[in-house]
């Protein structure tokens, strides 16, 4: 597994997926987790930089202009979706079968139990997203979320021999980074309560619950469709501490202050405008106990081609890359802010609430 991660990292560096020194504005230093032949992770310094194609660059403006032309945008959106599905099925992810299984299940009954009809959605959440006209507020988006998540892992670790192996590498590196940060900076604070903001259909929440089995995990999301899929799957599992699912806005969770030891946002920030990311970080700070850890994992640098495809379905991608996330976390009050390239496509930023 370590050898696979090392080869994937070398491939990403050769293709330009890993950050390079270019003379553009340097962002905060990051640590690149490079696997060695002995299976041990050997940290190496790197620089996480603003990608050349983000912001007010010619490429970014061109992509923006193409998206603004509605007939062409519709074609780009469909093309992006077809590429994702075909790629997943090429990797033996049974996309259509998994989707059909969800849509033909009793998930609709769970939806009625879990939905908060009084919840007001932020304006940005009501826009078309991920090639779905209703964004994340649709059954198709919820039914396809898990195979899409599996595809993310295989794209990050193409050398893996299976989807399961790729997922274990990507998620394992992320979880180990969280655990190591917490052990180093928490002051011996145990992880008893976990909040997974933007939990989607619960994939990341289940990984967290399995990594820290004695903890009580809470999965929180704005989409009752996603939560219904997550809860329906959880009901079929036997777990020491069953996951609790909450339909709420991560910017204003309504949860008590100082009530969690770990707050995770996995692949959430790139889907939000900068103003929302800042509020999410503030809310995480509020609900964390002193010594608690925040962990945000998301995209690192993308190739221009992948950026073009993603931007056609991810309206806030530019804002994510232009925001200095680490500095935002410091301004909110977090300490010990660390950025790790946990796989060739994703970084994890961890920080601590001071005592």
């Amino acid at each position: 597994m370590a050898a696979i991660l090392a080869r994937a990292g070398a491939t990403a560096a050769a293709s330009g997926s890993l950050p390079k020194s270019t003379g553009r504005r340097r962002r905060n230093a990051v640590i690149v987790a490079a696997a060695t032949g002995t299976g041990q992770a050997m940290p190496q310094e790197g620089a996480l930089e603003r990608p050349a194609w983000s912001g007010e660059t010619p490429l970014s403006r061109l992509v923006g202009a193409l998206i603004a032309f509605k007939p062409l945008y519709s074609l780009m959106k469909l093309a992006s979706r077809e590429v994702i599905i075909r790629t997943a099925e090429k990797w033996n992810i049974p996309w259509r079968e998994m989707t059909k299984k969800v849509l033909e299940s009793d998930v609709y009954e769970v939806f009625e139990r879990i939905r908060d009809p009084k919840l007001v959605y932020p304006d940005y959440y009501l826009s078309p997203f991920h090639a779905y006209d209703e964004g994340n507020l649709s059954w198709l988006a919820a039914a396809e979320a898990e195979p899409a998540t599996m595809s993310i892992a295989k794209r990050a670790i193409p050398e893996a021999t299976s989807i399961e192996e790729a997922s274990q590498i990507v998620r394992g590196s992320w979880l180990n980074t969280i655990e190591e940060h917490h052990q180093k900076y928490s002051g011996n604070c145990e992880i008893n309560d976990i909040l997974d903001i933007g939990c989607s259909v619960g994939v990341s929440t289940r990984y967290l619950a399995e990594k820290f089995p004695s903890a009580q995990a809470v999965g929180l999301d704005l989409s009752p469709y996603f939560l219904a899929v997550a809860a329906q799957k959880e009901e079929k599992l036997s777990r020491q501490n069953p996951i609790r699912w909450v339909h709420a806005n991560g910017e204003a969770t309504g949860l008590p202050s100082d009530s969690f030891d770990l707050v995770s946002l996995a692949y959430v920030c790139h889907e939000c405008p900068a103003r929302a990311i800042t509020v999410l970080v503030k809310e995480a700070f509020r609900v964390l106990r002193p010594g608690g850890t925040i962990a945000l994992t998301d995209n690192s640098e993308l190739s221009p081609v992948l950026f073009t495809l993603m931007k056609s379905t991810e309206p806030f991608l530019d804002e994510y890359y232009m925001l200095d996330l680490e500095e935002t976390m410091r301004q909110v009050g977090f300490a010990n802010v660390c950025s790790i390239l946990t796989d060739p496509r994703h970084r994890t930023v961890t920080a601590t609430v001071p005592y």
Side-chain angles (χ1 to χ4, degrees), residues 98-99 102-103 107 132 135-147 200-201 223-230:
M98 292 177 70
T99 300
V102 171
L103 294 177
V107 70
Y132 305 107
N136 290 337
L137 297 173
S138 75
W139 282 118
L140 185 59
E144 293 184 336
E146 187 161 3
S200 181
V201 293
S223 173
Y225 302 88
F226 284 13
L227 287 171
V229 173

Side-chain angles (χ1 to χ4, degrees), residues 25 27-28 48-51 54-55 269-270 272-281 296 316-329 331 347 349:
R25 177 175 66 84
R27 294 285 295 278
N28 295 311
L48 185 63
E49 301 175 347
R50 184 188 72 192
S54 63
C269 291
H270 77 276
C272 301
R275 68 181 189 277
I277 298 173
T278 301
V279 179
L280 286 167
V281 171
L296 302 96
F316 306 111
L317 202 58
D318 259 334
E319 292 194 41
Y320 163 71
Y321 279 108
M322 294 300 291
L323 178 69
D324 190 331
L325 183 57
E326 295 87 345
E327 182 58 27
T328 298
M329 295 166 74
Q331 290 179 1
R347 61 166 171 158
V349 186

Side-chain angles (χ1 to χ4, degrees), residues 308-319:
T308 301
L309 279 175
M310 286 192 67
K311 191 171 179 179
S312 66
T313 63
E314 308 262 13
F316 306 111
L317 202 58
D318 259 334
E319 292 194 41

Side-chain angles (χ1 to χ4, degrees), residues 25-298:
R25 177 175 66 84
R26 180 183 173 97
R27 294 285 295 278
N28 295 311
V30 299
I31 301 299
V32 179
T36 66
T38 61
Q40 301 297 317
M42 181 62 67
Q44 297 178 348
E45 284 196 20
L48 185 63
E49 301 175 347
R50 184 188 72 192
W53 38 253
S54 63
E56 291 301 313
T57 61
L59 177 58
S60 183
R61 288 196 297 269
L62 173 61
V63 174
L66 294 174
I67 292 172
F69 184 57
K70 295 302 181 184
L72 186 56
Y73 164 70
S74 298
L75 291 175
M76 291 174 67
K77 184 174 66 174
L78 289 173
S80 177
R81 176 176 165 77
E82 283 303 312
V83 166
I84 292 170
I85 295 176
R86 284 202 306 271
T87 302
E89 292 182 332
K90 181 184 71 176
W91 288 330
N92 296 319
I93 298 173
W95 185 292
R96 291 176 173 84
E97 291 83 353
M98 292 177 70
T99 300
K100 182 180 179 182
K101 183 177 180 181
V102 171
L103 294 177
E104 294 180 353
S105 71
D106 61 352
V107 70
Y108 309 99
E109 299 173 12
V110 182
F111 174 85
E112 294 302 328
R113 298 198 306 266
I114 210 162
R115 180 176 68 100
D116 178 3
K118 297 180 181 178
L119 183 63
V120 177
Y121 298 101
D123 56 350
Y124 67 84
Y125 200 74
L126 299 174
S127 302
F129 206 78
H130 284 168
Y132 305 107
D133 290 337
E134 302 86 3
N136 290 337
L137 297 173
S138 75
W139 282 118
L140 185 59
E144 293 184 336
E146 187 161 3
T149 300
M150 295 164 69
S151 296
I152 290 174
K154 192 64 170 71
R155 283 198 300 269
I157 313 293
E159 299 283 336
T161 57
S162 67
I163 294 297
E164 292 73 21
E165 184 176 36
S167 296
Q168 287 300 322
I169 293 172
V170 170
R171 299 291 181 168
S173 181
W174 162 63
L175 291 168
N176 289 339
T177 296
I178 294 172
E179 184 178 45
E180 290 166 9
H181 182 101
H182 193 78
Q183 289 175 346
K184 185 174 182 179
Y185 296 111
S186 70
N188 297 319
C189 168
E190 293 185 3
I191 295 180
N192 294 316
D193 296 282
I194 300 170
L195 175 61
D196 189 21
I197 295 178
C199 67
S200 181
V201 293
V203 176
S204 56
T205 323
R206 290 193 293 273
Y207 272 105
L208 288 164
E210 290 161 9
K211 178 69 173 180
F212 306 102
S214 63
Q216 173 62 62
V218 175
L220 182 147
D221 203 274
L222 266 170
S223 173
Y225 302 88
F226 284 13
L227 287 171
V229 173
Q232 192 244 11
K233 185 164 188 174
E234 181 69 13
E235 288 174 357
K236 299 176 181 178
L237 303 176
S238 176
R239 198 187 300 279
Q240 175 184 339
N241 293 313
I243 297 170
R244 183 163 69 95
W245 307 100
V246 176
H247 182 212
N249 186 346
E251 300 170 53
T253 63
L255 299 170
S257 299
D258 305 331
S259 55
F260 293 94
D261 306 298
L262 170 62
V263 172
S264 170
L265 291 94
Y267 312 109
V268 172
C269 291
H270 77 276
E271 299 185 353
C272 301
R275 68 181 189 277
I277 298 173
T278 301
V279 179
L280 286 167
V281 171
K282 289 180 179 178
E283 180 68 356
F285 189 88
R286 184 187 70 81
V287 300
L288 278 166
R289 298 180 178 116
T293 298
I294 184 175
L296 302 96
T297 189
D298 219 306

